[in-house]
Amino acid sequence: MTQDLEMKDRSTPSNSVSAPIPSTLQHLKEIASLIETGSYSKEVRRIARAVRLTIALRRKLTSSVISSFLDHVLTTGSEAHAKLSAYIPKDEDHEMEVDAATSAIQTPAKHLLPEIEIYCYLLVLLFMIDQKRYNEAKACSSASIVLLKNLNRRTVDVIASRLYFYYSYSYELTGDLAEIRGNLLALHRIATLRHDELGQETLLNLLLRNYLHYNLYDQAEKLRSKAPRFEAHSNQQFCRYLFYLGKIRTIQLEYTDAKESLLQAARKAPVAARGFRIQCNKWAVIVRLLLGEIPERTVFMQRGMEKALRPYFELTNAVRIGDLELFRNIADKFAT
């Protein structure tokens, strides 16, 4: 009896460790399968889930993992494989996460779906931006945009909207945002004709950001007023739209409307989007002061925002007590 009990006690640890932890490459393969299923069944929610899973894996991406994934989903020697592989450095062989047993037994099937190809561009683009290789990111994003212009599939729209964002972001990082304004306008027109609603929302926000980056508020308002009505299919895009609208209304001296837009953007923004919420609160504080209101103390004590909003708290305090000299000193102190 005692021998049997000892054998059972010894065998239990091996059972608990038997399940291996999936590698990053395996996760990417599962995401590719999810995209494939969503493409064939025309379920956009599956594609959206695949994009969310990819963003969660973003920090784990390495050049070796992406190279292995491209070999898995794209035909070696194809134009897409050659283009994308050229962006990936070949100096991380020691970080290979390929499951040797799986690769030896299975010969992966090559996916020729447009959704998979576009997804590969998104994956490589994310990696390029995280590696701060912005010129390569610009080239990769531009190549993906050329491909997207010839694709009219609703299952591509979710991935395309992400590519539009990083296309603009890569040019913004290099200070060349003005170069793509005409292209963004053309893409917005194409998205409108194709009834790509998520693409319309994303591109409208990117255009507004583009104009506001160069202080072209009148042009931003003309575009906003003539663009198709904003239906808010994405909460993130709706929050961005409200923020840009609030900035435009502030410059136009329409402070009441600006205040409503900015406060609504701050309320609707995800808790994790701290930087965005800080910007909304900064503009909202200024607008409320211009309206003659004194923001509540709790506005400046929000968790994680105390340090960023400290200058605005001191400015508000100077307005509250009516000390003009203190107001000037604070304005000079935090002028930057």
Side-chain angles (χ1 to χ4, degrees), residues 17-295:
V17 187
S18 59
I21 300 174
S23 64
T24 305
L25 178 59
Q26 189 59 40
H27 280 304
L28 289 176
K29 289 179 180 179
E30 291 171 2
I31 291 172
S33 299
L34 188 64
I35 293 174
E36 187 179 11
T37 304
S39 175
Y40 285 127
S41 60
K42 299 190 186 314
E43 293 183 82
V44 178
R45 61 184 180 84
R46 290 182 183 269
I47 312 290
R49 182 165 175 262
V51 173
R52 288 196 301 271
L53 291 172
T54 303
I55 301 301
L57 283 176
R58 186 170 177 174
R59 293 183 180 180
K60 298 180 181 179
L61 296 176
T62 63
S63 59
S64 57
V65 169
I66 296 178
S67 294
S68 300
F69 178 71
L70 295 178
D71 292 340
H72 173 71
V73 297
L74 299 175
T75 306
T76 305
S78 65
E79 184 180 357
H81 186 277
K83 275 186 179 180
L84 292 171
S85 297
Y87 298 116
I88 308 298
K90 307 295 182 184
D91 56 352
E92 294 185 17
D93 294 336
H94 61 284
E95 293 186 7
M96 290 290 286
E97 295 187 23
V98 182
D99 186 351
T102 307
S103 60
I105 296 171
Q106 299 177 351
T107 302
K110 302 300 181 183
H111 305 278
L112 301 176
L113 292 170
E115 289 82 357
I116 295 292
E117 186 175 350
I118 290 296
Y119 174 75
C120 289
Y121 273 97
L122 174 63
L123 199 65
V124 172
L125 181 54
L126 287 173
F127 181 70
M128 292 294 101
I129 291 175
D130 290 342
Q131 293 295 309
K132 297 183 179 180
R133 297 169 58 188
Y134 301 136
N135 289 326
E136 289 94 334
K138 282 170 59 176
C140 180
S141 63
S142 297
S144 69
I145 295 301
V146 172
L147 190 62
L148 282 172
K149 284 182 177 179
N150 299 320
L151 283 176
N152 186 10
R153 294 162 68 100
R154 299 290 69 79
T155 47
V156 174
D157 292 348
V158 176
I159 307 175
S161 66
R162 288 282 182 169
L163 279 171
Y164 296 146
F165 173 80
Y166 289 112
Y167 169 59
S168 177
Y169 186 52
S170 61
Y171 275 82
E172 183 176 346
L173 288 170
T174 56
D176 302 322
L177 205 52
E179 291 182 15
I180 62 169
R181 192 178 302 151
N183 216 4
L184 290 175
L185 286 166
L187 288 168
H188 184 267
R189 184 166 58 251
I190 292 171
T192 304
L193 293 173
R194 292 176 177 175
H195 303 287
D196 173 10
E197 295 171 342
L198 183 57
Q200 289 179 56
E201 295 176 3
T202 304
L203 289 162
L204 176 59
N205 281 332
L206 292 175
L207 282 163
L208 291 177
R209 182 180 182 85
N210 198 305
Y211 284 124
L212 297 182
H213 183 78
Y214 295 100
N215 296 323
L216 301 173
Y217 287 90
D218 290 339
Q219 293 186 40
E221 173 58 20
K222 285 179 183 178
L223 171 69
R224 189 207 64 78
S225 61
K226 293 181 180 179
R229 187 178 177 183
F230 207 92
E231 297 293 343
H233 294 278
S234 165
N235 182 61
Q236 292 181 352
Q237 297 302 329
F238 186 50
C239 288
R240 289 191 180 106
Y241 176 77
L242 288 171
F243 175 62
Y244 297 142
L245 178 60
K247 291 179 73 172
I248 293 170
R249 290 288 182 258
T250 301
I251 300 301
Q252 292 178 331
L253 310 182
E254 299 177 14
Y255 298 136
T256 303
D257 292 341
K259 171 190 163 185
E260 292 178 3
S261 297
L262 292 166
L263 291 178
Q264 191 178 359
R267 281 196 304 270
K268 286 181 172 291
V271 177
R274 186 180 299 170
F276 177 81
R277 288 165 55 228
I278 287 173
Q279 289 298 319
C280 290
N281 279 285
K282 284 180 178 180
W283 277 79
V285 168
I286 296 298
V287 169
R288 293 183 70 179
L289 290 175
L290 289 169
L291 281 169
E293 300 178 9
I294 302 297

